[in-house]
Amino acid sequence: GDGDSSSKSSAKKEPSMPKMGHDTVGAVAVDVDGNVAAATSTGGITYGMPGRVGDSPLVGLGCLADNSLGALSATGHGESIMRMALGTRILLDAAGGANGITIEHAVHDGLESMRARVGGHGGIIAVLPDGSFAIDFSTERMAWGLATVAEQGKGSLSQSEQLVGGGTMQVGIDAPPKE
């Protein structure tokens, strides 16, 4: 064509695939008196069925805070988290250090059990009323941050900053805190 608009390509543009989201944001906290809190927010799941309710709003599954047990926020495959009652299972396993199970082991074992039993993957942040905590995931990656009032860092982390007034701030994305 010589400037004729009909000669322009009329090929239809293919719709782009939506980006697969990993957008859950969770937080857990404990104060000096052992009071715990947890929050979880999610954007849902790509191609989720209309009306689907995931694990985040279901207390005890993807989000849980109980002053006698601890606080936990989960991300990952919601249906698997729900089938395993993952949040409650992990905090009950770690309650009072029964049978020598630490929160770190309870989180790791819970994620591994979910993978083995129902094929699900996820990530967990958790804290107990005594201040012990765990960050672990079986997904490809999970961004996380940790702030403490004391210098109780866990090994050598990729980034660590001293906070004004004491304590540390640590962050990561490709690996949980090192022992």
Side-chain angles (χ1 to χ4, degrees):
D2 52 348
D4 181 358
S5 64
S6 64
S7 67
K8 291 184 180 175
S9 172
S10 62
K12 291 184 179 179
K13 187 175 181 180
E14 290 294 320
S16 62
M17 291 294 289
K19 191 174 183 182
M20 299 304 268
H22 300 286
D23 54 3
T24 298
V25 176
V28 296
V30 60
D31 69 12
V32 295
D33 296 319
N35 297 306
V36 297
T40 305
S41 175
T42 183
I45 188 169
T46 306
Y47 300 117
M49 292 181 64
R52 172 190 179 268
V53 175
D55 61 291
S56 296
L58 302 175
V59 176
L61 304 180
C63 186
L64 173 62
D66 182 312
N67 282 344
S68 65
L69 296 175
L72 176 143
S73 180
T75 184
H77 186 241
E79 281 72 7
S80 297
I81 292 168
M82 289 185 283
R83 287 179 64 192
M84 295 292 295
L86 192 61
T88 298
R89 180 184 302 265
I90 287 171
L91 289 182
L92 286 173
D93 284 350
N99 301 319
I101 298 175
T102 64
I103 186 61
E104 293 92 347
H105 287 105
V107 166
H108 179 79
D109 292 351
L111 289 169
E112 179 57 27
S113 178
M114 181 173 69
R115 185 203 57 77
R117 291 183 62 196
V118 297
H121 296 278
I124 301 288
I125 57 174
V127 64
L128 298 183
D130 68 5
S132 58
F133 62 90
I135 301 168
D136 201 355
F137 52 95
S138 59
T139 53
E140 182 178 335
R141 59 181 14 167
M142 181 178 88
W144 57 268
L146 169 69
T148 64
V149 294
E151 294 185 37
Q152 64 178 56
K154 296 181 63 110
S156 58
L157 297 171
S158 58
Q159 297 177 17
S160 182
E161 294 182 22
Q162 291 291 74
L163 297 176
V164 175
T168 59
M169 173 66 127
Q170 303 157 351
V171 297
I173 192 164
D174 289 327
K178 297 176 183 174
E179 293 294 330

